[in-house]
Amino acid sequence: MNQTYINELKDNIGKEVTLKGWLYNSRSSGKLVFMQVRDGSGTVQCVVFKGNNEEVFESAKSLGQESSIIVTGTVKEDSRSPIGVELDVTGLEVLQNVHDYPITPKEHGTEFLMDNRHLWIRSKKQHAVLKIRHTVIKAVRDFFDDNGFTLADTPIFTPAACEGTTTLFEVDYFGDDKAYLTQSGQLYNEATAMSLGKTYAFGPTFRAEKSKTRRHLTEFWMVEPEVAYATYEDMMDLGEKMITHIVSRVLNDRRLELDTLERDITKLEAVASPFPRLHYDDAVKMLQEGHAKGELENNFEWGGDFGSPDETYLSSQFGKPIWVHHFPAAIKGFYFEVDKDRPECALGIDLLAPEGYGEIIGGGERAASLEYLEKQLKHHGLPQETFEWYLDLRRYGSVPHAGFGMGIERCTAWMCGTEHVRETIPFPRMLYRLRP
Ligand code: 4AD
Ligand code: MG
């Protein structure tokens, strides 16, 4: 194929190349047309000079935004260009000249843009966000693959709840049986970890969340490692290594995109080990002091779950991600191991991202005792027969084990500095959004 990609132009200075893409933007002045051309790999300025070829010049002048075009030209070094080059156009083939592209450079409302998400993803910022999402995912996969983990994906149709029955999507499964879309692959990860030792799953997960916050999707992607013979403390070590790896990869590989998004990268550069580790008791004290100082509106009582102002307050005290561990067992899932000396505390861990991005990792140590889990299932109103296979893991070679889950969109939103997770997935699914 006779095509050079825009991200390869720097290696082709002085050569004649052919770009295949779309017109992102253009302006003309007298004898020149300046076309911003994008091709998926980047954007480059292509300059058409009337004196070179009048026909090409007239054709370039007639093009509207998002016209599909094939451009031939010579690559020239240009220090003002963000990618260091521009193209001196010698030829232009128009596949489709477009004049009514709905998204113009003017401001549009979010609803309009979300309705046109299939087109909006072509915009520079959305393109940058999707590139960063890709790098987050690649960094995560490389991290686990290079650290002895085996990928073992878990089912999407499941017969039971993992994260509580209130956020389950129910699906008719051939009439007789009910199925639910998975909320987390964790329970299956616990089984694969007993085979593979260190395992991870990566896939879509579903929550029938009735919340309309900037952090909630009904369909999101989660990466979930699980490790046999590991403790909740080991998971804080692992999660910390994973996060610093992601941040350094994004800083290394996506500088252009971070610039496009005007991300304050000093905030990302500050993300270095060790992350502070806060016992829930101490987090509660900190929140109560914050309230006493008038920095937090609501007072926090031991036993409660953090709201987003609480999470923001806690992490803003440190300017880097922080771990909170030892949550009250009463607000956690049925499967958590508890502290032997303080059975009211679950060995759960959450990682709170800075800058108000809130919880991005949730996990902990899993209960190893059969008797305890049987009691917990009853207590949580879950049908034991559906969990018999899970209980088998405690009947045959039960060992301490732990894991966690990280939401890809929340992590990507934090990397990008975007306000809302809806922009960090190509086609978001939310309480009031199933289209396009
Ligand atoms: O804290 P959660 O609910 O934990 C679990 O599902 C565990 N079973 C995971 C495990 O231990 N293997 O969810 C984990 C993470 C959250 O920290 C958050 O990043 C993300 O998943 N998440 C969501 N992201 C977007 N929209 C939602 N509605 C989310 N709910 C959770
Ligand atoms: Mg959680």
Side-chain angles (χ1 to χ4, degrees), residues 16 43 54 117 125 144 156 162 184 194 203 206 257 270 273 305 325 329 336 361 379 387 401 406 413 427:
E16 180 163 277
T43 308
E54 191 135 350
R117 183 66 179 164
K125 286 197 172 171
F144 288 115
I156 288 171
C162 175
S184 155
M194 299 308 137
F206 305 85
E257 286 80 4
S273 266
D305 213 350
H325 56 86
F336 280 91
I361 291 180
H379 181 69
F387 288 87
H401 61 287
M406 181 185 77
F427 296 97

Side-chain angles (χ1 to χ4, degrees), residues 141 144-145 148-156 184-203 222-226:
R141 284 193 179 276
F144 288 115
D145 295 349
F149 284 73
T150 303
L151 176 72
D153 286 325
T154 52
I156 288 171
S184 155
Q186 180 198 318
L187 305 184
Y188 296 95
N189 277 341
E190 293 184 49
T192 55
M194 299 308 137
S195 162
L196 300 162
K198 297 202 271 185
T199 184
Y200 74 105
F202 177 55
M222 184 154 44
V223 62
E224 298 182 87
E226 191 74 29

Side-chain angles (χ1 to χ4, degrees), residues 78-142:
D78 186 296
S79 59
R80 290 159 304 176
S81 153
I83 60 166
V85 292
E86 61 174 35
L87 203 74
D88 229 345
V89 178
T90 53
L92 177 64
E93 186 188 332
V94 180
L95 276 70
Q96 188 177 41
N97 193 349
V98 173
H99 277 291
D100 47 4
Y101 188 64
I103 303 177
T104 56
K106 71 162 196 196
E107 283 285 311
H108 294 283
T110 305
E111 277 308 295
F112 175 84
L113 291 170
M114 290 305 282
D115 287 341
N116 286 285
R117 183 66 179 164
H118 52 295
L119 302 175
W120 188 27
I121 48 179
R122 302 181 188 188
S123 310
K124 229 175 200 169
K125 286 197 172 171
Q126 298 307 309
H127 176 268
V129 171
L130 295 183
K131 286 283 193 182
I132 291 172
R133 174 192 172 93
H134 166 80
T135 297
V136 168
I137 292 172
K138 180 90 170 81
V140 159
R141 284 193 179 276
D142 287 347

